[in-house]
Amino acid sequence: MKALGPIPAGYGGIDGILAVGGRPVTHWAEEAGATPLFLYDADLIRRRVTQLRSAIPDRVALHYAVKANPFPPLLALMAGLVDGFDIASGGELEIVRDAGLPLREVSFAGPGKRDAELEAAIRSGVTLNLESEGEAARAFAIGDRLGIVPRLAIRVNPDFDLKGSGMKMGGGAKPFGVDAERVPALVREVVASGAEWRGFHIFAGSQALDAEAIAETQGQALELAARLAEESKTVLPHCNLGGGLGIPYFPGDTPLDLPLLGERLAARLEGLPDVLRGAQFCIELGRYLVGEAGVYIARIVDRKISHGEVFLVTDGGLHHQLAASGNFGTVVRRNYPSAIATRFGAEVEEEASIVGCLCTPLDKLADKGGFPRADVGDLIAVFCAGAYGASASPASFLGQGPAKEMLV
Ligand SMILES: *Cc1c(COP(=O)(O)O)cnc(C)c1O
């Protein structure tokens, strides 16, 4: 039997059925009229934001990285909870505009922004996090042509990375940001262009569970920001310190020590050098805010035995939950937290694999896990499905189409 990842805190059962948003998942499946579906628990998201706010210093604003989950009702909920949004494409700009979010609190990072995307961003007054000198030149020209002063920050490719990070985004040669040593020259160009100078964006990695490592990276980001501001001879209006806060997905993972991270950050902010005293700071988080609040529900359509192994074949799969199948940036496949939702809390009776309905051996949601005996008609749950689930999976693969999503 292979271990399953830890089920996030805050979930329980009602009459033996997993509950989300205070109701059994069978209720939501009936209301949706179909499976598979994603359920996002609004209350868990609110609680997470409250925990964060009480741990991190007031001076640090909280931004939501839209790419983690752009479901419009969820964005509307986030609008009342966070201070700003980070987007990574023209498509996400349309989503935040349609959601009626305040565009002056939106920043746009990401390599390969096309001219049409730069133009849409400049017209809407979002801050562009410039990824290169070439992108800067195009933004200046578009601003001139439109007669609009662009709001420009520089994304710095830091000379360090986030230790223990699931996805390294800084350190060495990268397609993201401008190498630190070339930043001062670009700052001078931005200021000379007459653009509104918005400061730095320093993002060093994602999905780290070690608070000390994140704190260390934040400290390095602050030092780098101070050094670059001094070398550029400008005041820094704003500095985005990145994110990196992870959630436990796999067996043995433990939750981040948030109070410790908050303490470390507060201490760093106490001792700021003069060039950073007036700066506003923010952190940008995706999965930490919404990941654990999401559950993916699918229905068992077949129960099969092959060479003595049990396969629970569901109507879901990697086309909705690519990451749980181990095919989204993981080297070794490990099990996400999962359960038989309609026998929640029941004793383990057998070893079984939960698979999807796609005709590929990659389509596995749980490999040889221990579960209560489940049959056709039962619902299964994959946890940690609130971030990089629906939006980061190939929903059209094999003509399957997207799963329903509900904020409950
Ligand atoms: C993806 C991304 C984030 C969010 O990362 P999470 O791991 O979901 O918190 C934040 N900032 C940038 C620049 C990103 O690319």
Side-chain angles (χ1 to χ4, degrees):
M1 225 175 269
K2 293 186 186 172
L4 301 170
I7 293 176
Y11 289 98
I14 297 178
D15 297 333
I17 299 176
L18 171 67
V20 180
R23 300 266 203 151
V25 295
T26 42
H27 165 84
W28 300 122
E30 218 166 279
E31 190 168 306
T35 48
L37 78 153
F38 284 93
L39 296 171
Y40 308 125
D41 187 324
D43 209 45
L44 287 182
I45 296 175
R46 283 190 208 101
R47 272 196 254 168
R48 176 49 58 92
V49 172
T50 305
Q51 288 167 345
L52 253 171
R53 295 271 195 202
S54 66
I56 62 171
D58 290 343
R59 166 142 192 218
V60 179
L62 187 58
H63 284 204
Y64 175 58
V66 170
K67 76 172 188 289
N69 188 333
F71 182 51
L74 183 139
L75 283 183
L77 169 70
M78 298 312 280
L81 297 175
V82 301
D83 308 304
F85 292 85
D86 295 304
I87 57 171
S89 72
E92 287 187 351
L93 174 56
E94 274 174 38
I95 292 172
V96 297
R97 188 191 288 125
D98 291 349
L101 304 180
L103 296 176
R104 288 190 68 79
E105 308 305 329
V106 172
S107 61
F108 181 178
K113 299 184 196 78
R114 285 158 280 191
D115 284 354
E117 293 175 300
L118 294 175
E119 178 169 336
I122 292 169
R123 281 187 191 280
S124 9
V126 316
T127 294
L128 282 166
N129 292 333
L130 298 171
E131 302 273 351
S132 73
E133 289 90 347
E135 191 174 283
R138 290 190 289 130
F140 300 155
I142 291 168
D144 281 347
R145 175 164 57 74
L146 298 176
I148 301 175
V149 175
R151 312 179 76 215
L152 303 178
I154 296 174
R155 179 164 178 183
V156 181
N157 175 22
D159 23 31
F160 51 85
D161 61 19
L162 172 53
K163 285 185 202 69
S165 161
M167 217 176 271
K168 292 193 196 320
M169 304 282 283
K174 287 284 182 301
F176 315 108
V178 176
D179 292 351
E181 65 271 15
R182 294 210 308 271
V183 165
L186 186 57
V187 174
R188 287 191 285 272
E189 268 192 64
V190 169
V191 172
S193 78
E196 182 182 340
W197 166 233
R198 297 281 296 142
F200 296 135
H201 173 213
I202 305 176
F203 182 80
S206 215
Q207 179 49 23
L209 293 170
D210 179 353
E212 294 286 8
I214 298 171
E216 171 78 24
T217 304
Q218 288 174 336
Q220 287 175 304
L222 286 167
E223 280 165 25
L224 179 62
R227 197 183 85 215
L228 294 176
E230 252 167 39
E231 286 174 22
S232 322
K233 305 209 179 355
T234 52
V235 273
L236 207 60
H238 191 265
C239 186
N240 179 334
L241 295 171
L245 284 65
I247 58 173
Y249 285 104
F250 302 118
D253 283 356
T254 50
L256 182 70
D257 186 343
L258 191 58
L260 178 69
L261 181 64
E263 269 172 45
R264 292 283 188 273
L265 186 55
R268 300 270 186 187
L269 294 179
E270 292 280 309
L272 281 184
D274 284 344
V275 276
L276 294 187
R277 288 258 159 79
Q280 291 177 308
F281 295 100
C282 77
I283 53 173
E284 48 175 7
L285 305 177
R287 78 183 79 230
Y288 194 73
L289 297 181
V290 299
E292 290 174 297
V295 184
Y296 177 64
I297 301 291
R299 192 178 297 279
I300 298 174
V301 294
D302 201 1
R303 177 188 163 91
K304 296 178 61 168
I305 314 284
S306 172
H307 291 272
E309 289 184 24
V310 178
F311 290 90
L312 304 170
V313 187
T314 68
D315 59 4
L318 72 75
H319 52 299
H320 301 145
Q321 255 308 311
L322 186 64
S325 77
N327 294 292
F328 188 60
T330 31
V331 182
V332 180
R333 193 201 174 287
R334 289 175 295 167
N335 283 324
Y336 262 45
S338 59
I340 307 299
T342 38
R343 295 163 200 267
F344 195 64
E347 266 176 47
V348 170
E349 291 167 314
E350 67 179 10
E351 180 185 296
S353 294
I354 300 175
V355 300
C357 54
L358 304 186
C359 210
T360 158
L362 301 179
D363 194 10
K364 203 170 260 185
L365 296 173
D367 186 33
K368 298 183 180 159
F371 297 104
R373 193 185 191 287
D375 224 319
V376 173
D378 274 314
L379 299 176
I380 65 95
V382 178
F383 295 87
C384 296
Y388 308 107
S391 69
S393 302
S396 334
F397 191 32
L398 292 177
Q400 290 289 344
K404 259 215 152 134
E405 298 175 86
M406 295 169 86
L407 179 73
V408 300

